[in-house]
Amino acid sequence: AAGAVRVAMPGAVRVAVRSLCLAALLGALEAGGTELTLELPDSAHRCFHQELESGIKFTLDYQVISGGHYDVDCYVEDPNGKTIYQETKKQYDSFSHHTEVKGVYTFCFSNEFSTFSHKIVYFDFQVGDEPPILPDMNNRVTALTQMESACVTIHEMLNAVIDSQTHYRLREAQDRSRAEELNGRVSYWSVGETFILFMVSIGQVMLLKSFFTEKRPSSIGAGT
């Protein structure tokens, strides 16, 4: 019987851990959020609107992936038209706020200060706090069990992995954009150098040819 218990316990533990972790992941998906990558033309701005209840927390993270000096203007307005956040020529930033009034909140990205460079901007708009991953976790008076602590740790590590993946995805996209831009500049410079060398070579050939060309006397001089 003891041997049977020792064999059966690991499977039961795995099933329990899987169930708790699945509940944790499903609970994490309930938090509202939007991720979007947009193209911002030169001398243009784009705005987004979200209706929120009062007392709700929202977070706006953004980063310029490509274009110009990788900077953009950003501002956020409440339903009364009051500016609660404003930054100019930022490459990336994060802003969190608890709403005081109910209504439509507006956040905008502006590239009006640039007259020739397009920008690609990534932003992540999260609404509300993440719900507890375990039932009645905030109201518990007893310590978490070992399985519950393991689920909390796994959940936090998964969040850290997601944040890291997003960060490295943006860095990879930004580096790829810079590499493509540098490759284009090198290609144009190489074409320009090839054209200049071709023209110089023709000029040198024409100049050397003029040195060895025999100048015949004119007919008047020969008759005299």
Side-chain angles (χ1 to χ4, degrees):
V5 171
R6 283 195 297 270
V7 174
M9 279 298 291
V13 171
R14 284 196 296 270
V15 172
V17 170
R18 288 176 182 173
S19 300
L20 288 174
C21 291
L22 180 59
L25 293 177
L26 291 176
L29 292 177
E30 294 179 0
T34 300
E35 291 183 77
L36 185 65
T37 302
L38 62 100
E39 182 178 0
L40 195 61
D42 53 288
S43 303
H45 74 281
R46 290 186 177 179
C47 295
F48 301 86
H49 310 275
Q50 179 66 43
E51 185 174 0
L52 301 174
E53 300 289 336
S54 61
I56 298 296
K57 177 185 177 182
F58 69 85
T59 302
L60 175 64
D61 299 316
Y62 64 91
Q63 180 175 342
V64 181
I65 299 177
S66 66
H69 296 287
Y70 300 88
D71 52 359
V72 71
D73 295 345
C74 179
Y75 64 90
V76 181
E77 293 182 350
D78 65 5
N80 298 325
K82 177 183 177 182
T83 301
I84 57 179
Y85 171 82
Q86 185 173 9
E87 289 291 342
T88 58
K89 296 185 179 181
K90 295 284 290 188
Q91 295 184 353
Y92 59 88
D93 202 5
S94 178
F95 171 69
S96 297
H97 180 73
H98 283 83
T99 61
E100 298 178 354
V101 294
K102 177 183 177 180
V104 177
Y105 286 77
T106 304
F107 58 98
C108 300
F109 299 98
S110 175
N111 192 32
E112 294 178 337
F113 60 88
S114 179
T115 57
F116 58 88
S117 61
H118 285 52
K119 308 288 177 63
I120 296 180
V121 182
Y122 162 86
F123 74 86
D124 181 12
F125 188 75
Q126 297 291 333
V127 179
D129 294 322
E130 184 178 349
I133 63 174
L134 298 175
D136 300 329
M137 183 176 176
N138 296 332
N139 300 326
R140 297 187 58 169
V141 295
T142 58
L144 298 177
T145 64
Q146 186 175 0
M147 287 189 298
E148 292 172 342
S149 299
C151 286
V152 172
T153 303
I154 292 173
H155 177 68
E156 293 176 351
M157 294 176 66
L158 287 176
N159 284 336
V161 169
I162 292 173
D163 293 339
S164 298
Q165 287 179 339
T166 301
H167 171 73
Y168 286 117
R169 263 201 320 270
L170 294 176
R171 288 290 300 273
E172 188 272 336
Q174 191 177 65
D175 293 341
R176 184 175 65 251
S177 175
R178 290 180 176 177
E180 291 176 353
E181 182 181 359
L182 181 61
N183 179 66
R185 292 183 179 181
V186 171
S187 299
Y188 288 132
W189 182 256
S190 300
V191 171
E193 285 186 334
T194 302
F195 179 75
I196 292 174
L197 289 175
F198 183 72
M199 296 301 297
V200 169
S201 300
I202 293 178
Q204 289 179 344
V205 171
M206 297 296 293
L207 182 62
L208 291 175
K209 186 178 180 180
S210 65
F211 289 159
F212 296 98
T213 300
E214 181 181 0
K215 296 181 179 180
R216 296 179 178 181
S218 62
S219 57
I220 298 178
T224 304

